């Protein structure tokens, strides 16, 4: 384990990666391994009492099964009580305002709110005005911080194993993000997380799905899959939403697949130890060929289990960090 | 009882005066301009600038239909507080002003409740639907000073051409909100690095520029006078500059927020940074300043767009577009344009008085013996901090809360009556 | 730190050696003898060292036990960080580098001997017991400590103790071990340092 600096978690919320420092990201990544062990207990109880008596509310204003299950399990493994709330994300359906809904939840003495919403900025808007600890589980196209953290954690595991160095970092690691970047909060959060950790990121997708001036986020951009993956240590395929075809964003899935699918053919130009990742759910044979998704290079399932550990770490840090600096004794231990 | 404005520095761009002068007001007209005058009630304007009451050709007063945001009464008080004595109200109310009956309603409400002069514009098409023309001749006879479908553009070029021809026949200016709505349907801010970073759907500058180009060409074809509203981009200003050079009858306006802020202000998802057209980039701010300095941009207009707090206090993507501007316009003009030397104080006042009045041929915006006693007295050096809770407007949706600015209105006189005194 | 030093504790930052390396070696041997004496069925004993210094302590004890009985009890480590009650109350800081709980054997029906360097309030031992119980059901749990400095906040007592020390509240007892710090000693320091 990398010798921890004396970074202390001081934020009330986790709304995005963009504002986090490298130290803060590393603190989360260094806190997560303890929780990997908890979930891996074979004969023991897969629980620790760190969030005992706390209420974690999964507020999904946009549907999701996997992320919600992951957060729910993470909360339960910390011994928290959990609650799931779904509200409508339609602007046409004028219901209770977001602020009022949260105030009502807080009246039931909740501690952590996990919010997924179709509008960028919704978690931030709430975090600024409410005392709850807010974790952004995806706000529109903007950010999905815990996804990027679990992705970085997974990449670190792989790099350390490959090099036989438990203190290896992601500095210099080349990561290719492939697919619909424009609509992807997973892409944006990963860009911030990876660049802050020193990795080199290249975005690759059809012109129509690459957002303007993306290079200014500190990444390379290309529409050529070969160029993107020929030297990539990590190949990260993003989900393509089949509806995009209707808005004239690409002509057909057939052509998308020919140009951008990660399959044994396209992988011929890539290093043969490059990692294959995907945030899920996979459109088999569209973003990833079935045989690639199931190959040993694919760590998609690892991402899922790491997701629980990383989310446990985040919830623990948010709730249990004291609002004071460390004492000399604590630093000396 | 006569009113004497004494010892002030008179700036009247219409006549070119910029010198120490007293002004004597008798009834609703300016009786005398000179030095050492005598009057009954004395307003001491020592150290102040005295200029014609400011004119804003683009405001939304929301009456009829959305009185919770603003009414003609509260809007006129906001205008007076900002130094304005004449405003042109946009017809995208609820219902929109697309017939003489509604025009008469607006004028009646103005007579009953407005403290300044209201010059209403009428819709160019019925219900602003962009399909059928309104009865422009009758609307003009009823009091319309211009026609516009502001809030949106007229999508069909066929319709737009006929609207321009007909408006020209009625001697009405078409005030054009330029936006090609087919390029992007869900944009909420400028398309660029900021929208990429924030993950918000963007409105490319081309949406505005394509529409400016199309509308100017149709104006050229028809010989009509088209007034381009709220220009925000460098290329858009260029298109207008070249059209003017070719003698096409085009004028244009811009609003203070477009030279004060960029799309970086959207960082943090403040809905008070959301308006249409959106805040653009540094290169556009520079072009706007250059355009104001070289006369390509004819006048300043706020596009004062009030919205209730609850309506704006929602997710960025759901919030309505628009910010208020009457009570900060003069200060932003002085702080951001005059003080840094981009334009002179005289030019600034021209952009806010006779120039906008001349766009629509309104008989205001000047100080002359025998002319209307619409006068604004302000201190160009006074520093103050924008505090929305002090506003006379019913709404508070401004991005300038807490901003330190210079230029404070002291007194506003309309038709010889003091309508605002700080 | 060559002399066992009757140095004046008020003389700023100079620590006071309470046990020398030889003293420690004797104490650890005594602890191991006591464990053997109390547990005739040595096969059922496992040692869990509480990180971080409890682990090397447990390893040394396991070596002694092996010399005495021919059986080396399995040794594992307990991080206890995830069970600390002060962390739950937001009173303590998350330590990221304590190390992780690790033992590759079952504890069901075993005699688990918890091994720690310094016993004070007793909260760490309580957390250790909570953690052990989440892993299985030991037949019994015993506690071996090198130093008991007093200041108990819970009714927890060692079964095997090296030495009792009574520092004042503003003095801090530290154990140094070759495996973690390069040398063996037990020292007394001013907390104000």
């Amino acid at each position: 384990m990398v010798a921890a600096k004396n970074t202390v978690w001081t934020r009330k919320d986790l709304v995005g990666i963009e504002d986090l420092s490298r130290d803060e990201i590393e603190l989360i990544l260094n806190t997560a391994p303890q929780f990997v062990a908890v979930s891996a207990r074979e004969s023991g109880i897969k629980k620790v009492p760190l969030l005992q008596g706390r209420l974690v509310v999964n507020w999904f204003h946009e549907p999701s099964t996997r992320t919600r299950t992951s957060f729910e399990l993470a909360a339960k493994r910390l011994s928290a009580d959990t609650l799931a709330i779904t509200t409508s994300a339609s602007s046409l359906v004028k219901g209770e305002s977001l602020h009022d809904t949260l105030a009502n939840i807080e009246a039931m003495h909740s501690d952590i709110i996990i919010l997924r919403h179709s509008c960028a900025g919704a978690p931030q808007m709430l975090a600024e005005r409410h005392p709850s600890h807010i974790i952004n589980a995806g706000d529109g196209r903007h950010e999905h911080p815990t996804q990027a953290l679990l992705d970085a954690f997974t990449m670190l595991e792989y790099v350390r194993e490959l090099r036989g160095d438990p203190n290896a970092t992601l500095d210099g690691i080349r990561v290719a993000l492939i697919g619909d970047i424009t609509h992807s909060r997973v892409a944006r959060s990963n860009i911030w997380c990876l660049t802050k950790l020193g990795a080199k990121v290249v975005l690759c997708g059809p012109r129509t799905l690459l957002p303007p001036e993306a290079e200014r986020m500190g990444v390379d951009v290309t529409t050529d899959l070969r160029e993107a993956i020929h030297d990539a240590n990590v190949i990260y395929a993003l989900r393509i939403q089949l509806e995009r075809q209707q808005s004239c964003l690409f002509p057909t899935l057939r052509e998308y697949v020919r140009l951008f699918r990660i399959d044994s053919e396209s992988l011929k130009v890539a290093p043969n130890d490059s990692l294959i990742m995907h945030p899920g759910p996979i459109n088999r044979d569209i973003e990833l060929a079935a045989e690639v998704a199931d190959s040993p290079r694919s760590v998609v399932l690892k991402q899922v289990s790491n997701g629980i550990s990383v989310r446990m770490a985040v919830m623990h840090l948010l709730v249990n960090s004291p609002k004071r600096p460390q004492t000399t004794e604590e630093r000396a231990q | 009882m006569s009113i004497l404005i004494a010892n002030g520095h008179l700036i009247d761009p219409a006549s070119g005066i910029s010198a120490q002068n007293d002004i004597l007001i008798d009834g609703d007209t300016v009786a005398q301009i000179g030095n050492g005058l005598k009057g009954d009630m004395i307003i001491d304007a020592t150290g102040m600038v005295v200029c014609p009451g400011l004119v804003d050709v683009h405001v939304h007063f929301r009456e009829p239909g959305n009185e919770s945001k603003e009414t003609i009464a509260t809007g006129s008080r906001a205008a007076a507080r900002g130094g304005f004595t004449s405003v042109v109200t946009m017809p995208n109310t609820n219902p929109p002003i697309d017939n003489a009956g509604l025009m008469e309603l607006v004028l009646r409400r103005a007579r009953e409740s407005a403290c300044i002069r209201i010059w209403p514009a009428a819709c160019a098409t019925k219900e602003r639907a962009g399909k059928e023309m309104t009865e422009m001749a009758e609307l003009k006879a009823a009091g319309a000073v211009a026609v516009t479908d502001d809030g949106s553009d007229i999508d069909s070029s066929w319709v737009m051409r006929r609207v321009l021809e007909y408006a020209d026949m009625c001697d009405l200016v078409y005030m054009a909100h330029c936006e090609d709505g087919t390029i992007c349907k869900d944009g909420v801010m400028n398309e660029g690095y900021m929208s990429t970073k924030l993950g918000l759907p963007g409105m490319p500058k081309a949406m505005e520029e394509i529409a400016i180009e199309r509308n100017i060409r149709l104006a050229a074809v028809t010989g009509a006078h088209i007034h381009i509203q709220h220009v925000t981009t460098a290329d858009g200003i260029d298109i207008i500059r070249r059209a003017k050079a070719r003698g096409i009858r085009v004028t244009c306006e811009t609003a203070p927020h477009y030279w004060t802020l960029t799309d970086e202000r959207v960082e943090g998802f403040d809905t008070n940074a959301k308006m249409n057209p959106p805040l653009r980039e540094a290169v556009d701010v520079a072009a706007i300043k250059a355009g104001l300095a070289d006369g390509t941009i004819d006048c300043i207009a706020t596009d004062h767009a009030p919205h209730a707090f609850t309506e704006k206090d929602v997710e960025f993507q759901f919030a309505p577009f628009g910010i208020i501007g009457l009570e900060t316009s003069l200060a932003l003009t002085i702080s951001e344009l005059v003080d840094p030397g981009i334009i002179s104080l005289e030019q600034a006042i021209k952009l806010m008085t006779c120039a906008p009045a001349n766009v629509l041929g309104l008989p205001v915006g000047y100080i002359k013996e025998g002319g209307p006693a619409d006068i604004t007295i302000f201190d160009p050096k006074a520093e103050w901090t924008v505090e929305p809770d002090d506003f006379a407007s019913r709404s508070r949706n401004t991005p300038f809360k807490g901003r330190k600015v210079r230029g404070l209105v002291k007194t506003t006189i309309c038709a010889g009556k003091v309508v605002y005194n700080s | 730190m060559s002399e066992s030093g009757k140095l004046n504790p008020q003389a700023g930052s100079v620590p006071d050696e309470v046990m020398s390396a030889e003293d420690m070696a004797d104490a650890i041997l005594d602890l191991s003898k006591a464990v053997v004496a109390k547990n005739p069925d040595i096969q059922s004993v496992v040692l869990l060292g509480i990180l971080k210094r409890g682990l090397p302590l447990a390893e040394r004890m396991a070596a002694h036990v092996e010399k005495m009985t021919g059986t080396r009890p399995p040794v594992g480590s307990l991080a206890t960080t995830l069970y600390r009650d002060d962390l739950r109350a937001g009173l303590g800081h998350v330590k990221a580098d304590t190390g992780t709980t690790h033992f590759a054997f079952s504890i069901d029906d075993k005699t688990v001997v918890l091994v720690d360097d310094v016993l004070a309030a007793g909260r760490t031992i309580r957390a250790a017991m909570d953690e052990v119980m989440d892993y299985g059901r030991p037949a019994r749990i015993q506690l071996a400590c090198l130093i008991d400095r007093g200041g108990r906040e819970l009714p927890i007592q060692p079964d095997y103790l090296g030495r009792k020390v009574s520092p004042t509240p503003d003095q801090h007892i530290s154990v140094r071990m070759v495996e973690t710090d390069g040398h063996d000693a037990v020292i007394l320091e001013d907390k104000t340092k």
Side-chain angles (χ1 to χ4, degrees), chain B residues 267-292:
Chain B
E267 180 89 66
F269 303 96
D270 181 4
T271 56
N272 286 326
K274 179 177 179 179
M275 73 287 291
N276 186 16
L279 299 171
R280 302 291 187 186
E281 295 170 319
V283 60
D284 305 295
V285 167
I288 288 176
K289 290 178 176 173
L292 286 163

mmCIF file of all heavy atoms in Angstrom, chain B residues 267-292:
data_model
loop_
_atom_site.group_PDB
_atom_site.id
_atom_site.type_symbol
_atom_site.label_atom_id
_atom_site.label_comp_id
_atom_site.label_asym_id
_atom_site.label_seq_id
_atom_site.Cartn_x
_atom_site.Cartn_y
_atom_site.Cartn_z
ATOM 1 N N GLU B 267 -20.621 27.861 -14.732
ATOM 2 C CA GLU B 267 -19.965 26.953 -13.780
ATOM 3 C C GLU B 267 -20.736 26.982 -12.471
ATOM 4 O O GLU B 267 -21.049 28.052 -11.960
ATOM 5 C CB GLU B 267 -18.528 27.451 -13.536
ATOM 6 C CG GLU B 267 -17.727 26.622 -12.584
ATOM 7 C CD GLU B 267 -16.989 25.500 -13.299
ATOM 8 O OE1 GLU B 267 -16.098 25.820 -14.100
ATOM 9 O OE2 GLU B 267 -17.305 24.325 -13.038
ATOM 10 N N GLY B 268 -21.072 25.828 -11.925
ATOM 11 C CA GLY B 268 -21.848 25.831 -10.695
ATOM 12 C C GLY B 268 -23.339 25.749 -10.959
ATOM 13 O O GLY B 268 -24.137 25.629 -10.040
ATOM 14 N N PHE B 269 -23.718 25.798 -12.241
ATOM 15 C CA PHE B 269 -25.121 25.604 -12.632
ATOM 16 C C PHE B 269 -26.079 26.657 -12.068
ATOM 17 O O PHE B 269 -27.221 26.346 -11.753
ATOM 18 C CB PHE B 269 -25.606 24.195 -12.231
ATOM 19 C CG PHE B 269 -24.771 23.081 -12.804
ATOM 20 C CD1 PHE B 269 -23.748 22.507 -12.055
ATOM 21 C CD2 PHE B 269 -24.995 22.618 -14.096
ATOM 22 C CE1 PHE B 269 -22.961 21.487 -12.598
ATOM 23 C CE2 PHE B 269 -24.206 21.594 -14.640
ATOM 24 C CZ PHE B 269 -23.196 21.023 -13.882
ATOM 25 N N ASP B 270 -25.618 27.914 -11.968
ATOM 26 C CA ASP B 270 -26.502 28.989 -11.515
ATOM 27 C C ASP B 270 -27.495 29.315 -12.624
ATOM 28 O O ASP B 270 -27.110 29.758 -13.708
ATOM 29 C CB ASP B 270 -25.663 30.225 -11.174
ATOM 30 C CG ASP B 270 -26.505 31.383 -10.659
ATOM 31 O OD1 ASP B 270 -27.742 31.220 -10.495
ATOM 32 O OD2 ASP B 270 -25.942 32.462 -10.434
ATOM 33 N N THR B 271 -28.783 29.142 -12.341
ATOM 34 C CA THR B 271 -29.781 29.392 -13.382
ATOM 35 C C THR B 271 -29.884 30.863 -13.731
ATOM 36 O O THR B 271 -30.499 31.220 -14.741
ATOM 37 C CB THR B 271 -31.171 28.866 -12.952
ATOM 38 O OG1 THR B 271 -31.521 29.476 -11.714
ATOM 39 C CG2 THR B 271 -31.147 27.359 -12.805
ATOM 40 N N ASN B 272 -29.304 31.735 -12.926
ATOM 41 C CA ASN B 272 -29.267 33.152 -13.297
ATOM 42 C C ASN B 272 -28.218 33.426 -14.366
ATOM 43 O O ASN B 272 -28.013 34.574 -14.751
ATOM 44 C CB ASN B 272 -29.011 34.026 -12.072
ATOM 45 C CG ASN B 272 -30.239 34.104 -11.191
ATOM 46 O OD1 ASN B 272 -31.361 34.097 -11.690
ATOM 47 N ND2 ASN B 272 -30.039 34.141 -9.895
ATOM 48 N N ALA B 273 -27.557 32.365 -14.841
ATOM 49 C CA ALA B 273 -26.657 32.520 -15.973
ATOM 50 C C ALA B 273 -27.268 31.885 -17.213
ATOM 51 O O ALA B 273 -26.594 31.675 -18.208
ATOM 52 C CB ALA B 273 -25.310 31.874 -15.660
ATOM 53 N N LYS B 274 -28.550 31.579 -17.131
ATOM 54 C CA LYS B 274 -29.220 30.912 -18.250
ATOM 55 C C LYS B 274 -30.150 31.889 -18.949
ATOM 56 O O LYS B 274 -31.125 32.362 -18.361
ATOM 57 C CB LYS B 274 -30.015 29.705 -17.741
ATOM 58 C CG LYS B 274 -30.759 28.964 -18.850
ATOM 59 C CD LYS B 274 -31.477 27.725 -18.305
ATOM 60 C CE LYS B 274 -32.229 27.002 -19.422
ATOM 61 N NZ LYS B 274 -32.920 25.814 -18.972
ATOM 62 N N MET B 275 -29.843 32.193 -20.204
ATOM 63 C CA MET B 275 -30.745 33.015 -20.999
ATOM 64 C C MET B 275 -30.573 32.638 -22.467
ATOM 65 O O MET B 275 -29.648 31.911 -22.827
ATOM 66 C CB MET B 275 -30.488 34.511 -20.753
ATOM 67 C CG MET B 275 -29.234 35.093 -21.359
ATOM 68 S SD MET B 275 -27.723 34.593 -20.538
ATOM 69 C CE MET B 275 -27.856 35.436 -18.976
ATOM 70 N N ASN B 276 -31.477 33.156 -23.310
ATOM 71 C CA ASN B 276 -31.436 32.844 -24.726
ATOM 72 C C ASN B 276 -31.489 34.129 -25.534
ATOM 73 O O ASN B 276 -32.458 34.877 -25.400
ATOM 74 C CB ASN B 276 -32.636 31.960 -25.097
ATOM 75 C CG ASN B 276 -32.579 31.481 -26.541
ATOM 76 O OD1 ASN B 276 -31.542 31.556 -27.180
ATOM 77 N ND2 ASN B 276 -33.690 30.989 -27.032
ATOM 78 N N PRO B 277 -30.489 34.451 -26.375
ATOM 79 C CA PRO B 277 -29.299 33.633 -26.624
ATOM 80 C C PRO B 277 -28.393 33.569 -25.386
ATOM 81 O O PRO B 277 -28.488 34.426 -24.514
ATOM 82 C CB PRO B 277 -28.592 34.364 -27.779
ATOM 83 C CG PRO B 277 -29.209 35.693 -27.889
ATOM 84 C CD PRO B 277 -30.499 35.694 -27.150
ATOM 85 N N PRO B 278 -27.527 32.547 -25.345
ATOM 86 C CA PRO B 278 -26.778 32.313 -24.114
ATOM 87 C C PRO B 278 -25.532 33.191 -24.014
ATOM 88 O O PRO B 278 -25.126 33.839 -24.988
ATOM 89 C CB PRO B 278 -26.355 30.851 -24.267
ATOM 90 C CG PRO B 278 -26.217 30.667 -25.742
ATOM 91 C CD PRO B 278 -27.246 31.555 -26.383
ATOM 92 N N LEU B 279 -24.921 33.209 -22.847
ATOM 93 C CA LEU B 279 -23.642 33.864 -22.668
ATOM 94 C C LEU B 279 -22.619 33.161 -23.545
ATOM 95 O O LEU B 279 -22.610 31.932 -23.620
ATOM 96 C CB LEU B 279 -23.213 33.770 -21.192
ATOM 97 C CG LEU B 279 -24.169 34.446 -20.211
ATOM 98 C CD1 LEU B 279 -23.780 34.107 -18.773
ATOM 99 C CD2 LEU B 279 -24.174 35.948 -20.412
ATOM 100 N N ARG B 280 -21.783 33.943 -24.184
ATOM 101 C CA ARG B 280 -20.833 33.357 -25.126
ATOM 102 C C ARG B 280 -19.430 33.368 -24.548
ATOM 103 O O ARG B 280 -19.264 33.188 -23.357
ATOM 104 C CB ARG B 280 -20.896 34.119 -26.454
ATOM 105 C CG ARG B 280 -22.261 34.137 -27.118
ATOM 106 C CD ARG B 280 -22.707 32.795 -27.659
ATOM 107 N NE ARG B 280 -23.949 32.905 -28.422
ATOM 108 C CZ ARG B 280 -24.623 31.870 -28.917
ATOM 109 N NH1 ARG B 280 -24.194 30.640 -28.720
ATOM 110 N NH2 ARG B 280 -25.741 32.071 -29.597
ATOM 111 N N GLU B 281 -18.440 33.575 -25.437
ATOM 112 C CA GLU B 281 -17.056 33.404 -24.982
ATOM 113 C C GLU B 281 -16.280 34.716 -25.039
ATOM 114 O O GLU B 281 -16.777 35.711 -25.551
ATOM 115 C CB GLU B 281 -16.374 32.329 -25.837
ATOM 116 C CG GLU B 281 -17.024 30.971 -25.635
ATOM 117 C CD GLU B 281 -16.569 29.922 -26.627
ATOM 118 O OE1 GLU B 281 -16.430 30.254 -27.804
ATOM 119 O OE2 GLU B 281 -16.356 28.769 -26.205
ATOM 120 N N ALA B 282 -15.060 34.689 -24.532
ATOM 121 C CA ALA B 282 -14.252 35.911 -24.437
ATOM 122 C C ALA B 282 -14.096 36.608 -25.789
ATOM 123 O O ALA B 282 -14.122 37.837 -25.873
ATOM 124 C CB ALA B 282 -12.891 35.581 -23.851
ATOM 125 N N VAL B 283 -13.942 35.821 -26.834
ATOM 126 C CA VAL B 283 -13.736 36.421 -28.157
ATOM 127 C C VAL B 283 -14.987 37.218 -28.580
ATOM 128 O O VAL B 283 -14.901 38.238 -29.256
ATOM 129 C CB VAL B 283 -13.370 35.321 -29.190
ATOM 130 C CG1 VAL B 283 -14.484 34.287 -29.302
ATOM 131 C CG2 VAL B 283 -13.086 35.927 -30.536
ATOM 132 N N ASP B 284 -16.146 36.736 -28.137
ATOM 133 C CA ASP B 284 -17.380 37.444 -28.480
ATOM 134 C C ASP B 284 -17.531 38.704 -27.638
ATOM 135 O O ASP B 284 -17.995 39.737 -28.135
ATOM 136 C CB ASP B 284 -18.579 36.506 -28.257
ATOM 137 C CG ASP B 284 -18.412 35.208 -29.026
ATOM 138 O OD1 ASP B 284 -18.411 35.264 -30.266
ATOM 139 O OD2 ASP B 284 -18.253 34.149 -28.382
ATOM 140 N N VAL B 285 -17.142 38.635 -26.391
ATOM 141 C CA VAL B 285 -17.178 39.825 -25.531
ATOM 142 C C VAL B 285 -16.324 40.924 -26.156
ATOM 143 O O VAL B 285 -16.734 42.081 -26.248
ATOM 144 C CB VAL B 285 -16.680 39.481 -24.111
ATOM 145 C CG1 VAL B 285 -16.417 40.739 -23.309
ATOM 146 C CG2 VAL B 285 -17.687 38.599 -23.402
ATOM 147 N N ALA B 286 -15.149 40.546 -26.615
ATOM 148 C CA ALA B 286 -14.264 41.533 -27.243
ATOM 149 C C ALA B 286 -14.919 42.123 -28.491
ATOM 150 O O ALA B 286 -14.858 43.329 -28.736
ATOM 151 C CB ALA B 286 -12.932 40.875 -27.591
ATOM 152 N N ALA B 287 -15.562 41.274 -29.282
ATOM 153 C CA ALA B 287 -16.190 41.757 -30.519
ATOM 154 C C ALA B 287 -17.367 42.672 -30.216
ATOM 155 O O ALA B 287 -17.616 43.641 -30.938
ATOM 156 C CB ALA B 287 -16.647 40.568 -31.355
ATOM 157 N N ILE B 288 -18.098 42.381 -29.146
ATOM 158 C CA ILE B 288 -19.227 43.245 -28.777
ATOM 159 C C ILE B 288 -18.711 44.618 -28.381
ATOM 160 O O ILE B 288 -19.240 45.658 -28.792
ATOM 161 C CB ILE B 288 -20.047 42.612 -27.637
ATOM 162 C CG1 ILE B 288 -20.840 41.423 -28.172
ATOM 163 C CG2 ILE B 288 -20.990 43.643 -27.016
ATOM 164 C CD1 ILE B 288 -21.604 40.676 -27.103
ATOM 165 N N LYS B 289 -17.641 44.632 -27.601
ATOM 166 C CA LYS B 289 -17.087 45.923 -27.186
ATOM 167 C C LYS B 289 -16.611 46.705 -28.421
ATOM 168 O O LYS B 289 -16.852 47.910 -28.543
ATOM 169 C CB LYS B 289 -15.952 45.706 -26.186
ATOM 170 C CG LYS B 289 -16.453 45.198 -24.840
ATOM 171 C CD LYS B 289 -15.323 44.933 -23.851
ATOM 172 C CE LYS B 289 -15.912 44.523 -22.509
ATOM 173 N NZ LYS B 289 -14.901 44.082 -21.546
ATOM 174 N N ALA B 290 -15.960 45.996 -29.331
ATOM 175 C CA ALA B 290 -15.496 46.668 -30.549
ATOM 176 C C ALA B 290 -16.688 47.167 -31.370
ATOM 177 O O ALA B 290 -16.674 48.261 -31.927
ATOM 178 C CB ALA B 290 -14.644 45.713 -31.372
ATOM 179 N N GLY B 291 -17.745 46.353 -31.422
ATOM 180 C CA GLY B 291 -18.934 46.721 -32.183
ATOM 181 C C GLY B 291 -19.665 47.920 -31.594
ATOM 182 O O GLY B 291 -20.262 48.722 -32.313
ATOM 183 N N LEU B 292 -19.626 48.046 -30.281
ATOM 184 C CA LEU B 292 -20.242 49.216 -29.644
ATOM 185 C C LEU B 292 -19.389 50.441 -29.926
ATOM 186 O O LEU B 292 -19.898 51.521 -30.183
ATOM 187 C CB LEU B 292 -20.372 48.985 -28.135
ATOM 188 C CG LEU B 292 -21.466 47.999 -27.718
ATOM 189 C CD1 LEU B 292 -21.242 47.511 -26.283
ATOM 190 C CD2 LEU B 292 -22.842 48.647 -27.848
#
